[in-house]
Amino acid sequence: MNSTKRRGQLIVLSGPSGTGKSTVIAELLQARPDLYFSVSFTTRPPRPGETDGKEYHFVSRETFEDMISKGAFLEYAQYVENYYGTSLQLIEEKRAAGIDVLLEIEVQGAEEVRKKCPDAVLIFVAPPSFEELSRRLRERNTDDEAVIASRLETARKECEEISNYDYLVVNYQVPIAVKEVLSILTASGCRTQYRLIDWKGV
Amino acid sequence: MNSTKRRGQLIVLSGPSGTGKSTVIAELLQARPDLYFSVSFTTRPPRPGETDGKEYHFVSRETFEDMISKGAFLEYAQYVENYYGTSLQLIEEKRAAGIDVLLEIEVQGAEEVRKKCPDAVLIFVAPPSFEELSRRLRERNTDDEAVIASRLETARKECEEISNYDYLVVNYQVPIAVKEVLSILTASGCRTQYRLIDWKGV
């Protein structure tokens, strides 16, 4: 509406492994192809079907630690013995161009984002229940029982952090969860401090 | 999902006279017939076409002041020499029953609601510009020039209060404004502290 450049929003999705975050994100990106989905860097090995640069930028521990020392990450965290991190430069470029950025990160990383970007919108995606999460992790059939037990224990700990998040989306059904995240995106764009950048006033 | 009763949300719409709040609200109620739209009490005389109990409960100054002394209002305010107020008891009954409540109130009243209900969602509906507001007030054709000038001056003062609101919806086009308010309603229901009432956790 005027010459002031609207800054893109930073929307962060976190939640335990197995809550269906990836499915929710895939549908979000279909509904909002204007969103930039930030691909994280990780040192964990690719799972079958994963492609470098698509699900993650897969890098070695040496490369990752070099990036840490250069301050290249908005946030990074170690999780089940692997690093995960988000490129600060990429995010900043997109937001400066007015593009909304969607991040999927680990629960540890979200707190770091909050500190560095107080205007970030933090969304926790939770499973309906512990029983349902167990069922989903077993259905995925990519991990053995010990790994599943460890993931469930991690999930319990991660859920203790929920109160640090602005929003809690419980993934009972994917279409409802997607609609809720889309509403959060629209609503966040209506936040007063945000809108006052575009609106000249009366 | 469990026996804990979800408490209804309190959504407050304010904004200068002539921004199209009433039209936005009419479409909101069509889209969300489950919402309870709180009808305010006022001492201002009905405009042509207005019905007691529909747009407002029209009462005398004596009755209104008696209600004030009995603490019957969630908020009340004096505006252009008339009182406007919201029944506390009605709102509380609906919220306790899990029904979302929509309030349209004057800008002065919104601050009072914030103090009494910190979890209320405050939305300011603004016109695109001063010029557009002038045009809309003249188009309405119910007020003379002196009243319009006074309303425009009041609008300028009201817009200074915008930063007290959670959200700013600029009414460029009614369908977009309605979509934004609907998104704010959905998103507000996903607020973490709110959702934790329903969700049992992992």
Side-chain angles (χ1 to χ4, degrees), chain A residues 9 121 166-169 179-195, chain B residues 6 8-14 24 28 31-32 35 100-103 114 119-126 162 165-171 174-192 194-195:
Chain A
Q9 298 192 82
V121 177
D166 301 303
Y167 296 101
L168 169 58
V169 168
K179 184 184 175 250
E180 289 183 347
V181 177
L182 286 172
S183 295
I184 292 167
L185 275 162
T186 300
S188 300
C190 301
R191 283 177 294 171
T192 300
Q193 293 312 317
Y194 216 78
R195 268 289 162 81
Chain B
R6 177 188 171 281
Q9 298 191 82
L10 182 57
I11 310 287
V12 177
L13 283 186
S14 298
V24 169
L28 272 176
R32 286 278 311 268
L35 287 177
D100 292 336
V101 175
L102 186 67
L103 282 188
R114 169 75 84 206
D119 68 343
V121 177
L122 302 188
I123 305 174
F124 195 98
V125 183
I162 285 180
Y165 285 74
D166 301 303
Y167 296 101
L168 169 57
V169 169
V170 182
N171 190 11
V174 170
I176 296 170
V178 170
K179 184 182 176 255
E180 289 183 346
V181 177
L182 286 171
S183 294
I184 292 167
L185 275 163
T186 300
S188 300
C190 299
R191 283 176 294 171
T192 300
Y194 217 79
R195 267 287 160 81

Side-chain angles (χ1 to χ4, degrees), chain A residues 101-155:
Chain A
V101 175
L102 186 67
L103 282 187
E104 180 193 359
I105 59 175
E106 304 305 326
V107 174
Q108 289 165 282
E111 285 176 66
E112 218 170 317
V113 172
R114 169 74 83 204
K115 278 180 214 144
K116 289 188 186 164
C117 302
D119 67 343
V121 177
L122 303 187
I123 305 174
F124 195 98
V125 183
S129 64
F130 187 76
E131 293 67 33
E132 179 61 17
L133 180 62
S134 311
R135 200 185 62 72
R136 290 182 190 178
L137 285 174
R138 285 193 174 81
E139 231 173 35
R140 196 158 75 179
N141 212 23
T142 56
D143 303 310
D144 66 29
E145 277 299 318
V147 173
I148 288 174
S150 154
R151 285 194 190 278
L152 286 170
E153 184 50 34
T154 303

Side-chain angles (χ1 to χ4, degrees), chain B residues 10-59:
Chain B
L10 182 57
I11 310 287
V12 177
L13 283 186
S14 298
S17 179
T19 50
K21 287 192 305 296
S22 305
T23 314
V24 169
I25 287 168
E27 297 208 5
L28 272 176
L29 295 174
Q30 282 216 311
R32 286 278 311 268
D34 58 304
L35 287 177
Y36 170 72
F37 180 53
S38 169
V39 177
S40 298
F41 287 74
T42 186
T43 58
R44 88 147 162 75
R47 289 187 194 135
E50 287 184 339
T51 313
D52 184 44
K54 197 179 166 210
E55 288 82 6
Y56 288 96
H57 298 289
F58 297 99
V59 295

Side-chain angles (χ1 to χ4, degrees), chain B residues 60-75:
Chain B
S60 68
R61 178 166 284 263
E62 291 67 34
T63 304
F64 201 102
E65 288 176 347
D66 186 50
M67 290 174 76
I68 294 174
S69 70
K70 286 177 178 152
F73 291 116
L74 167 64
E75 58 78 37

